[in-house]
Amino acid sequence: NHAVSFLYEISASWGKRRNSSASTIQRFIVRDNPNLTEEALLWVTASARDLVEVDLRDCPNIEYGKAILELASLTGIKYLRLGCLHDTPSSNGGKKAFRSDYFLQGIIKLIPNLTTLQIINLPQLRDDQIAEIFDHAYAISDLSLVKLTDLGTASVESICSNLPNLSRLEIAYS
């Protein structure tokens, strides 16, 4: 019942305002926006089913675990960049806690098709979780991991063992 009412709400809220004749958005790049939350991604995923690139860097009020779970149905995404370089996104002034279980569940659905992945400053990700992400990441050629404080041996082993197309690797401030 919850799923049906949810679909009805989406349909009703879009109503006649939805422009189905326009070309679809392929790149969703929102940087340095303190007003954007993961709830906004519901509208993006409902209307822009053909996204190829998503850039959510430096949006301090996004809870990236829930955001990635929201994006998980868009398996056409090739380029994904997320995280906050200057602030810890999970702190958000104490508003929201980072859900690493949501993040892992969502990113594992997205990772098989990604060619570019940049993750910045998600210190709650453990080394074993990072390693698990890259157990499924065969297409990645450009990888940037910045300020992941628990990145260690298991992650590096997984990256070196599972990414045959990797041409650029950046591990910084980790």
Side-chain angles (χ1 to χ4, degrees):
N1 289 341
H2 180 67
V4 172
S5 67
F6 178 73
L7 290 173
Y8 174 77
E9 287 175 25
I10 288 175
S11 177
S13 66
W14 277 106
K16 295 179 181 176
R17 295 183 299 167
R18 184 171 185 183
N19 184 357
S20 59
S21 63
S23 61
T24 60
I25 298 170
Q26 292 190 346
R27 288 175 169 67
F28 183 67
I29 301 168
V30 181
R31 297 206 45 200
D32 300 313
N33 187 332
N35 301 314
L36 189 70
T37 66
E38 67 279 359
E39 286 85 13
L41 296 177
L42 168 68
W43 304 112
V44 173
T45 59
S47 65
R49 302 296 302 163
D50 298 326
L51 280 177
V52 175
E53 179 176 3
V54 176
D55 188 340
L56 300 173
R57 289 178 286 180
D58 296 313
C59 296
N61 288 314
I62 287 182
E63 196 283 288
Y64 288 100
K66 290 180 182 174
I68 290 301
L69 195 57
E70 192 63 55
L71 293 171
S73 66
L74 303 178
T75 56
I77 297 173
K78 302 281 184 207
Y79 310 96
L80 179 61
R81 296 170 182 91
L82 55 97
C84 292
L85 186 58
H86 303 295
D87 299 318
T88 303
S90 63
S91 66
N92 292 329
K95 296 178 192 169
K96 300 178 184 179
F98 176 72
R99 294 290 307 264
S100 61
D101 55 335
Y102 287 177
F103 184 85
L104 197 60
Q105 183 181 352
I107 198 77
I108 286 175
K109 290 179 181 176
L110 289 172
I111 202 86
N113 296 318
L114 291 178
T115 58
T116 298
L117 177 62
Q118 182 177 41
I119 301 174
I120 303 170
N121 196 16
L122 297 180
Q124 298 84 350
L125 282 178
R126 298 185 320 267
D127 190 37
D128 62 314
Q129 291 174 320
I130 298 166
E132 185 177 348
I133 291 167
F134 297 113
D135 285 345
H136 308 279
Y138 308 110
I140 288 186
S141 60
D142 184 352
L143 178 61
S144 178
L145 304 171
V146 178
K147 293 178 81 172
L148 299 182
T149 55
D150 200 34
L151 189 141
T153 303
S155 300
V156 173
E157 179 184 0
S158 182
I159 290 166
C160 292
S161 300
N162 296 307
L163 304 181
N165 299 313
L166 191 62
S167 61
R168 180 181 174 277
L169 173 62
E170 174 187 21
I171 298 175
Y173 308 109
S174 294

